[in-house]
Amino acid sequence: MFALIDCNSFYASCEKIFRPDLKHRPIVVLSNNDGCVIARSPEAKKMGISMTQPWYQVKDQYLSKGGVVFSSNYEFYADISNRVMNVLSDLCPEIDIYSIDEAFLDLRTFRKNIDLVNFAYDCKKRIKDWIGVPVSIGIAPTKTLAKLANKVAKDDPRFDGVVILSEPRVIRHFLKSMPIEKIWGIGRKLTAKLENIDIKTAYDLSQVDSRLIGDNFNVVLERTVRELKGQSCITLHDFMEPKKQIMVSRSFGKSIRSKSVLSEAISFHASRAAEKLRYEKQKCRLITAFIRSNRFNTRVRQIYAAKSFELVHPTDDTRIIIKNANRILDQIFADGYQYAKAGVLLSDFTNRYGYQMSLFDKKRDEKMASRLMQTVDYINLMEIAKIGFGNQGYRNTWRMKREIKSKRYTTQIGEIPTTK
DNA sequence: TCTGGGGTCCTAGGACCC
DNA sequence: TCTGGGGTCCTAGGACCC
């Protein structure tokens, strides 16, 4: 059996932890640039605010009805997430952290049969009492079924946040009431395709011969079908897999025409990407940079320009990554467009310690560079000072909007909550 | 005026090899 | 006139997820 534990309206719930005055108020959290809604408390959902809705469309009405809004505060959410995951790992050592707000537990680790109902409610209570975040729990023989169970636990108040699927008869009944688009791994396109051939519920899909699906669709859907039938075939990643690519990109506060400002943004993103790369203890060989116009604005001329550059030697050196990202910018930049977003993507990784040195590598230079980067990372991390490279300025022209961010209550000494 | 920012996996098709 | 067949590797792009 697998359990999926998922925090309810995670970002919005985080914002409530240190603000008891907001307990029953509607809360929404906005994406970067305060662009669109990415989390809603139950009260905000009831007001009809939908996920990824552009903020400007609902702002006035929402605020006039007493809604509360926050810019996203990832540092804070990540810390709360860590605390939740720690509680879960205490309860079950076989844990697969699937995203910032959800994790699978492999309950087969428990040799003896445990009381699943007790287990689930204990789990829920600990996280609520110790961290302050409400969770929903779905338990089932496969991860796909646990996902579905979790969805119902969350949406249907009759279940009090816990749904356990073990009896085949119950599972069958449950699947019949479940439209296919709610299944994990079935998005818009697949829903349309499947409905076309008269597969409308999870039960319909579970009855299809999985090999037939494998032949006519692909192995991903085949696995989903098997999982619906109760054969577990999506396993837990029991250790953290290294990342395969690192992307840093942002939309600008307002659109930009000038190459020099774009270059600042590209340098800034390149630098952030290099930091992440070193944190992952990887070096990259491929650097990609892109710039693009606002794809929602039909009144401006559209452009999307991207290019990659392959290095001879893998690197994690901020200076090299910035230099090459800007070299790409030189090649892809075209005058006369309004740019709305830029980004840098690093890929083709090799482990920092175990890659093949070339015959002509200068070992000493490498060592120097690596020490320099370590020092820079340390100074930035400890907030001794803010060190950047080259032209990565931080002009208001492209900096993102984040007007209503809450405090970093748990990670910054100057921002911890105080009482009177 | 104002529409996020990450990721993963898979597949088709081209390049290349013997 | 007749022009193999099988394999691997890589990349771009699609679909999906949170």
Side-chain angles (χ1 to χ4, degrees), chain A residues 4-6 136-138 145-155:
Chain A
L4 174 64
I5 289 85
D6 189 323
S136 301
I137 300 181
L145 289 170
K147 264 279 202 189
L148 269 182
N150 184 284
K151 193 154 277 188
V152 175
K154 187 167 287 187
D155 295 343

Side-chain angles (χ1 to χ4, degrees), chain A residues 194 204 212:
Chain A
L194 288 170
D204 295 341
L212 220 62

Side-chain angles (χ1 to χ4, degrees), chain A residues 57-254:
Chain A
Q57 289 176 359
V58 292
K59 181 176 177 182
D60 291 343
Q61 252 221 340
Y62 175 76
L63 293 177
S64 72
K65 284 187 188 158
V68 180
V69 58
F70 291 98
S71 304
S72 34
N73 185 346
Y74 292 110
E75 189 172 329
F76 176 45
Y77 309 147
D79 184 60
I80 298 301
S81 171
N82 283 334
R83 292 163 192 243
V84 170
M85 299 308 169
N86 282 339
V87 173
L88 289 178
S89 348
D90 275 351
L91 284 162
C92 174
E94 288 297 309
I95 179 173
D96 182 5
I97 298 171
Y98 180 67
S99 75
I100 193 163
D101 75 330
E102 60 189 298
F104 288 100
L105 304 180
D106 188 345
L107 303 181
R108 293 173 302 188
T109 6
F110 301 118
R111 296 249 176 69
K112 295 238 170 70
N113 280 338
I114 55 163
D115 183 338
L116 293 175
V117 179
N118 271 340
F119 177 80
Y121 280 104
D122 181 33
C123 211
K124 201 163 125 65
K125 187 169 180 331
R126 283 195 197 200
I127 295 172
K128 182 71 200 170
D129 291 352
W130 297 0
I131 318 293
V133 171
V135 300
S136 301
I137 300 181
I139 298 181
T142 69
K143 289 173 105 177
T144 303
L145 289 170
K147 264 279 202 189
L148 269 182
N150 184 284
K151 193 154 277 188
V152 175
K154 187 167 287 187
D155 295 343
D156 191 331
R158 287 178 301 171
F159 295 110
D160 197 22
V162 174
V163 167
I164 297 169
L165 297 175
S166 45
E167 291 284 311
R169 206 170 43 83
V170 177
I171 296 181
R172 205 176 313 130
H173 179 76
F174 174 86
L175 290 180
K176 282 184 179 168
S177 69
M178 205 47 73
I180 45 171
E181 72 257 27
K182 302 225 167 169
I183 301 169
W184 188 35
I186 302 207
R188 270 218 323 274
K189 301 268 178 177
L190 272 176
T191 299
K193 268 192 187 170
L194 288 170
E195 279 178 345
N196 242 336
I197 53 174
D198 228 35
I199 295 174
K200 298 196 167 102
T201 66
Y203 178 76
D204 295 341
L205 190 59
S206 75
Q207 293 310 104
V208 182
D209 183 344
S210 47
R211 275 166 310 179
L212 220 62
I213 290 287
D215 293 344
N216 292 291
F217 290 84
N218 58 47
V219 297
V220 184
L221 189 59
E222 181 180 343
R223 278 200 285 261
T224 301
V225 172
R226 285 185 195 280
E227 288 244 320
L228 288 175
K229 290 176 194 289
Q231 309 164 14
S232 173
C233 46
I234 303 177
T235 47
L236 292 193
H237 307 113
D238 30 10
F239 54 94
M240 286 300 256
E241 300 274 340
K243 278 194 179 28
K244 292 171 180 163
Q245 58 180 52
I246 287 172
M247 159 106 96
V248 177
S249 72
R250 288 287 178 282
S251 301
F252 306 129
K254 54 187 171 206

Side-chain angles (χ1 to χ4, degrees), chain A residues 389-405:
Chain A
F389 287 90
N391 66 339
Q392 41 164 318
Y394 207 52
R395 285 191 227 169
N396 278 332
T397 33
W398 63 275
R399 201 175 58 189
M400 55 172 179
K401 272 197 305 194
R402 248 189 188 168
E403 289 170 343
I404 23 193
K405 207 175 87 173

